[in-house]
Amino acid sequence: MNISADAGFLTIAAAIFFVLNATGQIPLFLAMLARFDHKRQMRIITRELCIALVILLLFTFFGDAILQILGITRPIIGIAGGVLLFLISLTMIFPKTVADDGTKALAHEPMIVPLAIPVITGPGAITTVMLYAHETGSATLVAGACIAAWVPSLLILLLGSYIKQVLGEKGLVAVERLGGMLVCLIGVQMLTSGTLLLVREYFSIAS
């Protein structure tokens, strides 16, 4: 999947934004932080999102080195990333409600787990930044895209209670499903590109 610098920034930022799925996480955040007052909720959300951003940036700059040490080739990264994003998109298109998950308000203020990891920075987000950093060869570009995707995600979660009032439960589900469809398309593209590259490399080795 070859990515040009200009179009690539917007593509990567959009992919990361939809994988972070801030809109879909609003009910979960509201349920888990229900026992805290509004001011404290804002502080917790900001802190956890900052931690999530740091984790994403660490994997952006050092994830490619990890993949090279493990000897994971470019086609395999594309195939694995595509499959993972496809599976994540299914959970977004067919989401569970907070009630179905049995989510309860946290008794103590959360620190890193579970909000920063894995709710925001889960396997999908980590794989996405590692894949794009490897694919573009520019960790700085991907880091900028991470920040560009992180800012609206933070704002959405900070305004979560108001957004829920405006959109309602059905509106939030509709937005999450739309994001899931886009993540599904991105995942299929990664999977297809990785498969074609693997086949191309196999035949070049065989010949």
Side-chain angles (χ1 to χ4, degrees), residues 71-94:
I72 300 175
T73 60
R74 187 174 158 198
I76 300 303
I77 297 172
I79 293 172
V83 171
L84 184 58
L85 288 182
F86 178 75
L87 293 176
I88 290 173
S89 72
L90 293 181
T91 65
M92 294 172 67
I93 296 172
F94 306 104

Side-chain angles (χ1 to χ4, degrees), residues 64 67 72-82 127 130-131 134-135:
D64 196 38
L67 295 175
I72 300 175
T73 60
R74 187 174 158 198
I76 300 303
I77 297 172
I79 293 172
T127 302
M130 290 173 66
L131 173 65
H134 182 87
E135 198 70 33

